[in-house]
Amino acid sequence: MDKLFTEAHRNGCKLNENVDFVSAHDELSAYGEFVATAKADIEPNEVLISCPFEYAITYETALASLQSINPDFKSLSQEIVLYTFLVLESLKTSNSKWAAYIEYLPKSFNTPTYFNDEDKQYLKATNIEFALQDRLHNWRHAYEDVLKLGSFSTNQFTFDLFIWAATVFTSRCFSSSLINSRISKEDASPILLPLIDSLNHKAMQPILWKTDVRDTMSVQLVSQNTTSRGQQIFNNYGPKGNEELLLGYGFCLEDNAFDNVALRVSVHPDLPYRQQKTSVLQQDNTFELNNLIFFFQKNANFSAYEKVLQCLTVVSASSLELKRILAHQAMFGLSSYNSSLRGKIKSFEILLMYINSRLQLLIHNNPDKSPTNIRQQYASVYRKGQIEILEQSLEQVKNFMEVELKKVYHPHPNLLQYLVLNSVSVFLLQHPNFALLSKVITELYGTTDAESIAASEEQDNVVLLICLYCLSAHEALPFSIKMLQEGYPASSTEEGDEVFEIFDEMIFQRYPDVFGNKKIFNKENMSWALQLINEESIDFSGFTFVIVHA
């Protein structure tokens, strides 16, 4: 540490006279080898540490150095240029301007890239497990690109050393906007600020990062509250959840108020009308298709789920709903679109299914053994937090679903009653105008009881028959199917033809008095009914419904 002080002072760094770096003892050991403490009370608005721009490790400094080796280094990302520069500076040993700083830097970290196989068991089925694979894959390719440009010896310029340099930046970097305020957030690059980066993180710690461009040309860390003698002096890395802290910095916080679970929504290429759905999301500035990531916070309120549900409304839209969405967006924009009841329920279903599957996956893959080292302890804290947030989210979304759907089916006492009265479903078999069909269903499947049919896995076949029957009995229905008839053309499809042939042989020819009208019971209308099942149906409380108006 003394070497770093000497080097930092020589390069213009300033350290408050009441700031002292001491060897970490038991209660501070998790923070590293040295921690900053107050030798005497430090008042608010005092400069704790300052680092001149010239001593910072920046992209501009790194690129200028690497371009002397090969001008094509400019083609690499800012991060890769910086990692490469730090590796080369470390290989210079005492000849580097930052020799003491590099010697002071940790040689190993508690980030997941340094986990062994046993440690990684505590990351099983988490976002970090997959993020780690992606990170190592990307760093391996970046390393190979660097070797091609620099022709470096792999005996010295090793992949392990490259990972070390990358981890130094993920765990200690600041934004270049501190040096140049004209740089936008998108264009800013990572920088290292020796000595300033030696302070540990404390959530919600009042601290000010100040840039002095008039006198000292430095970045300053300024206290915002009183630090009593003997207390540790903290920095504040920002409102970061444990996933970001563990992956980037190598530690986690118990009861982290900023903890969250990341949910990525994708417009799957196999989804019908993918191009149109993609277009809807592209035209709405709220969504970035390359980064459809939503964060579920601890103790989140309803508003935390509204945006992801809006996105899922588009992603899960049927062709009929998509027409409505496109028409509304053209006139008013997506934010004011009020989804159909089917769309609302489908969005909630998808979200609940996703949250629950993620939750069960984490629980199922919980390690059997208790943690035996600090890495496993941090991973356990992270894992426990993810499970708690998913459990909270599951309950919150269920509650939110009930509140939102009450707005739709009010004044009916419950959603099931609304669906029974306003949808194509097995419950129609109890309607007097479906007596003939009910008799057939009883002979075929032994019952017309809705729960029994759902339990027998014949529900889809029964609903298909009901949809077809609705075409012949539409005038006597307790609702209108005109919208569904206009929304889907009754044109023959390969799937519809195949299903019709099966039904015709097994059912239609067997009951000609019920299904003898070939204007209704034909391949075209069977294809129409299949479209309704495939695109308009929902599975709510174990029953399939095709909602005919909302």
Side-chain angles (χ1 to χ4, degrees), residues 440 507-518 521:
V440 171
I507 302 174
F508 297 161
Q509 295 179 30
R510 186 176 169 186
Y511 299 96
D513 293 343
V514 180
F515 304 112
N517 186 348
K518 296 304 179 183
F521 300 99

Side-chain angles (χ1 to χ4, degrees), residues 377-474:
Q377 289 173 20
Y378 284 146
S380 294
V381 170
Y382 159 64
R383 187 183 197 88
K384 179 182 176 184
Q386 297 287 285
I387 290 174
E388 288 177 352
I389 293 172
L390 287 170
E391 288 175 337
Q392 290 175 357
S393 297
L394 199 62
E395 191 64 29
Q396 282 280 49
V397 172
K398 286 179 180 178
N399 293 337
F400 188 28
M401 182 179 184
E402 182 178 347
V403 170
E404 283 297 292
L405 294 181
K406 277 183 177 177
K407 298 176 184 176
V408 179
Y409 61 78
H410 181 79
H412 297 286
N414 59 67
L415 179 60
L416 190 60
Q417 178 180 338
Y418 182 93
L419 293 173
V420 169
L421 294 175
N422 299 276
S423 64
V424 178
S425 72
V426 291
F427 292 97
L428 276 177
L429 295 175
Q430 313 306 320
H431 194 279
N433 292 336
F434 280 70
L436 284 176
L437 181 61
S438 295
K439 183 178 179 181
V440 171
I441 298 299
T442 301
E443 290 187 25
L444 288 171
Y445 302 115
T447 181
T448 56
D449 176 70
E451 291 188 11
S452 298
I453 291 173
S456 70
E457 299 182 352
E458 298 290 348
Q459 186 174 189
D460 283 352
N461 290 337
V462 173
V463 176
L464 269 176
L465 288 173
I466 293 172
C467 286
L468 283 174
Y469 200 81
C470 284
L471 293 175
S472 61
H474 66 90

Side-chain angles (χ1 to χ4, degrees), residues 123-264:
L123 299 175
K124 197 72 175 173
T126 67
N127 283 340
I128 285 184
E129 180 184 26
F130 306 109
L132 177 58
Q133 295 171 8
D134 290 340
R135 172 167 284 188
L136 289 173
H137 174 78
N138 293 336
W139 283 354
R140 169 61 72 176
H141 280 282
Y143 172 70
E144 292 171 354
D145 290 340
V146 169
L147 292 181
K148 291 175 185 176
L149 292 179
S151 299
F152 303 120
S153 168
T154 55
N155 291 329
Q156 290 186 307
F157 197 117
T158 65
F159 183 50
D160 285 344
L161 192 55
F162 188 79
I163 289 177
W164 167 83
T167 308
V168 168
F169 272 90
T170 65
S171 63
R172 306 179 80 88
C173 74
F174 294 80
S175 170
S176 60
S177 60
L178 284 172
I179 291 178
N180 186 350
S181 60
R182 292 173 296 180
I183 297 177
S184 66
K185 182 179 179 181
E186 293 74 22
D187 295 330
S189 59
I191 61 174
L192 293 178
L193 297 173
L195 210 58
I196 285 183
D197 65 5
S198 299
L199 296 190
N200 294 304
H201 169 64
K202 185 177 182 181
M204 295 181 284
Q205 172 74 12
I207 201 79
L208 175 64
W209 300 351
K210 180 181 176 182
T211 304
D212 180 6
V213 297
R214 306 178 79 181
D215 300 320
T216 62
M217 299 293 287
S218 67
V219 178
Q220 300 174 343
L221 210 61
V222 181
S223 63
Q224 294 294 283
N225 61 355
T226 300
T227 305
S228 301
R229 178 183 178 183
Q231 285 187 332
Q232 185 175 177
I233 302 168
F234 288 100
N235 193 356
N236 184 349
Y237 301 170
K240 300 183 185 299
N242 280 340
E243 187 164 288
E244 186 177 0
L245 290 176
L246 183 57
L247 186 61
Y249 300 85
F251 68 90
C252 287
L253 300 175
E254 295 274 6
D255 301 319
N256 186 346
F258 301 106
D259 209 5
N260 58 64
V261 173
L263 163 69
R264 182 186 293 274

Side-chain angles (χ1 to χ4, degrees), residues 276-292:
Q276 287 179 287
K277 294 173 182 180
T278 298
S279 176
V280 171
L281 297 176
Q282 281 176 330
Q283 293 174 34
D284 193 291
N285 294 330
T286 307
F287 303 111
E288 297 177 26
L289 278 188
N290 292 329
N291 193 31
L292 282 175

